[in-house]
Amino acid sequence: MTYLSQIYAIVWKDLLLEFRTRERIAAMGAFAVLAGILFNFSMDQTVVRPQDIAAGLIWMTLVFGGLLGIGRTFHLEAQDGAFQGVLTSPAPKDAIYIGKITANFVLLYIVALLVVGIFTLFFGLDLGDHPGMLALALALGSLGFVALGTLFSAVSSSTHMGETLLPILVFPLLVPMIIYGVSATSRLLADRPIADVAGNLRMLGAFAVLAVGAGAVMFRFVVEE
Amino acid sequence: MPSNKLRVGGSAMAVLGVLGILVLHWMVFFWTPTEASMGIIQRIFYIHVPSAWVAFFAFGIVALCGAVYLWLGDERLDHAAASAAEGGMVFTTIVLLTGPLWGRIAWGTYWTWEPRLTLTLLLWFIYLGYFLVRSSTENPERGKRFSAVVGIVGALDIPLIHLSVLWFRSLHPTPVVVKPEGPTLHPDMLLTLAVGLISFTLLFLGVFLQRYTLAVATHLAAVREREARS
């Protein structure tokens, strides 16, 4: 099997499993909607305009909700030693990692678009003139998040602290993603020209590349017995 | 035995470091001139800056030893990384305690999202994660590998974190923030700072070597006990 078809096999398996169980996507989706409902009651819309603070809320919902699903990446396979089977397959460890993050990225990106949809629906958010750029910012941010989240999910799921450890490991590392992501989003929501967000998008991209690269190299040391 | 030499060397360095820190305190309290605009509070700078240097220096050792440990699998590198992390966390805590005390007087607030402050706080949490993963695995070998991964990924992310927080601050300029470093440092102040940097580094290296030989000895004792039992 070539490298790409190995990755494809992992992605296909993970997405098929998720499609059949709908466990993680349901948890993340429900979290996103419910967080939107709670945000509605947690801010006085006569004092702050949702449009002004939406960028921060969108990214925080994505991070908290995403962690719910990403933290359980290896949960299903941990049962009955199924992950051992994946590891003993001829696929190199970094192919397994790339496959895992691709599947997680698809799930998280669906949630990201859902979150934006919820905010548009609940708070009458105006997405500005460049919704495509907004989608790109969310995609780059999600990729970086998924890359770190999946790596440390493999770490935390092998400890007895489990998923409670994940935020402690991942949150300090997510600061660049939050800063550049929120900044790009708030500028796009405020209808600023694309030139104003180009720098943010480049940094989000750099963060994603660094996270994927580090994860692909480190993953083998995490899953080795 | 080489570890004996290391222990003696470590003790010597630690003693020198403590003596240096005593001299440093004398210099800070009685000798070095008072800074013109910030007044007496600026003297905490001579404790604060050397601790910060040691905190980041230690993290460099953690990441470097962690990376080579993953590569070569030599136990001693893991002992070194973990020992450096323990020392590093202590000095990071000193930075986080002395910084706000100074900030309260100089900036008028205990905490501000100044880039270096933010980075140090995040570094503290990366160290915390390092120890939490280490202690929460059933198989200690995995704990060692996990903590090495945390150290390496943390070290890779730190420049990006620093860049982003710097950039974030330029977005929201905070009112009248006095920069800790003046345009030029008085030669007496520079000498005090140099004494601080050298003593703190010596103390850290001394404690680090002591901790390292202790880790090696504990490991050997565990191995012997296992052999005796089997």
Side-chain angles (χ1 to χ4, degrees):
Chain A
M1 277 207 293
T2 62
Y3 195 70
L4 276 179
S5 63
Q6 287 166 336
I7 294 175
Y8 176 74
I10 301 276
V11 176
W12 176 246
K13 173 193 77 68
D14 272 17
L15 288 179
L16 188 66
L17 263 177
E18 187 53 41
F19 180 72
R20 289 194 178 148
T21 59
R22 291 183 207 85
E23 229 177 42
R24 295 193 286 148
I25 194 86
M28 290 194 283
F31 178 92
V33 179
L34 289 167
I37 294 173
L38 291 187
F39 281 145
N40 172 53
F41 296 114
S42 63
M43 59 181 166
D44 187 346
Q45 292 188 30
T46 59
V47 180
V48 281
R49 286 196 322 139
Q51 185 84 24
D52 297 336
I53 56 167
L57 294 181
I58 287 173
W59 282 86
M60 290 321 289
T61 314
L62 187 61
V63 166
F64 287 126
L67 221 50
L68 279 183
I70 308 298
R72 293 175 73 83
T73 308
F74 300 94
H75 186 74
L76 211 56
E77 285 170 328
Q79 296 162 10
D80 309 324
F83 195 56
Q84 287 312 311
V86 177
L87 289 179
T88 46
S89 73
K93 305 285 185 287
D94 44 280
I96 297 175
Y97 173 77
I98 303 280
K100 284 276 173 198
I101 62 168
T102 311
N104 274 344
F105 173 75
V106 172
L107 298 184
L108 190 73
Y109 197 54
I110 294 174
V111 175
L113 297 180
L114 179 72
V115 171
V116 175
I118 300 281
F119 274 72
T120 317
L121 183 72
F122 283 0
F123 303 112
L125 201 65
D126 173 13
L127 293 183
D129 296 337
H130 308 290
M133 281 290 152
L134 190 62
L136 178 64
L138 285 168
L140 292 173
S142 303
L143 182 59
F145 175 56
V146 155
L148 287 179
T150 308
L151 176 69
F152 286 110
S153 160
V155 168
S156 67
S157 61
S158 314
T159 66
H160 56 71
M161 284 180 75
E163 285 145 50
T164 46
L165 191 56
L166 192 54
I168 303 173
L169 295 176
V170 175
F171 279 4
L173 306 176
L174 287 185
V175 169
M177 179 201 101
I178 293 291
I179 289 180
Y180 294 115
V182 169
S183 160
T185 310
S186 60
R187 287 173 187 203
L188 286 168
L189 291 181
D191 266 343
R192 299 265 286 271
I194 288 189
D196 281 11
V197 294
N200 289 313
L201 293 179
R202 268 200 294 274
M203 290 309 292
L204 273 177
F207 179 76
V209 169
L210 186 76
V212 172
V217 176
M218 292 291 136
F219 188 67
R220 79 193 63 175
F221 300 111
V222 170
V223 293
E224 252 172 26
E225 271 305 320
Chain B
M1 241 175 112
S3 76
N4 231 352
K5 263 185 204 155
L6 282 180
R7 209 183 61 226
V8 174
S11 307
M13 283 170 122
V15 168
L16 279 178
V18 169
L19 287 178
I21 287 171
L22 286 176
V23 173
L24 172 73
H25 277 76
W26 177 79
M27 290 173 92
V28 166
F29 282 109
F30 302 112
W31 185 73
T32 204
T34 304
E35 207 266 342
S37 60
M38 282 180 274
I40 209 92
I41 187 65
Q42 183 266 343
R43 288 163 191 258
I44 209 169
F45 167 83
Y46 304 113
I47 310 289
H48 181 75
V49 172
S51 315
W53 143 251
V54 170
F56 281 91
F57 174 60
F59 197 73
I61 299 182
V62 172
L64 204 64
C65 288
V68 187
Y69 169 70
L70 288 185
W71 180 31
L72 301 175
D74 190 332
E75 285 290 328
R76 286 174 299 178
L77 288 161
D78 172 70
H79 297 322
S83 308
E86 281 183 17
M89 192 160 187
V90 171
F91 284 97
T92 314
T93 310
I94 296 177
V95 179
L96 288 175
L97 290 176
T98 51
L101 286 177
W102 173 82
R104 180 72 185 95
I105 307 286
W107 292 341
T109 169
Y110 283 113
W111 188 261
T112 166
W113 294 103
E114 203 268 338
R116 272 167 288 190
L117 255 71
T118 315
L119 188 66
T120 314
L121 183 64
L122 292 169
L123 180 70
W124 194 87
F125 276 104
I126 296 175
Y127 273 132
L128 177 72
Y130 183 89
F131 288 114
L132 283 178
V133 241
R134 236 183 136 71
S135 58
S136 61
T137 47
E138 271 145 37
N139 176 354
E141 296 307 311
R142 297 200 92 179
K144 289 171 185 174
R145 255 181 286 130
F146 287 177
S147 56
V149 168
V150 172
I152 296 164
V153 178
L156 288 176
D157 205 21
I158 277 179
L160 213 57
I161 297 178
H162 186 60
L163 209 65
S164 64
V165 214
L166 265 179
W167 184 90
F168 178 72
R169 202 177 82 89
S170 70
L171 242 197
H172 306 265
T174 35
V176 217
V177 171
V178 189
K179 284 280 183 179
E181 76 275 281
T184 48
L185 218 52
H186 187 280
D188 287 357
M189 292 178 165
L190 202 62
L191 183 62
T192 315
L193 181 63
V195 170
L197 287 172
I198 293 168
S199 327
F200 270 72
T201 312
L202 277 174
L203 177 64
F204 166 73
L205 287 176
V207 174
F208 165 67
L209 288 177
Q210 290 274 2
R211 184 69 190 83
Y212 169 73
T213 47
L214 178 64
V216 172
T218 317
H219 178 71
L220 278 178
V223 169
R224 278 190 203 136
E225 195 182 346
R226 224 178 299 147
E227 278 169 359
R229 227 182 271 155
S230 63

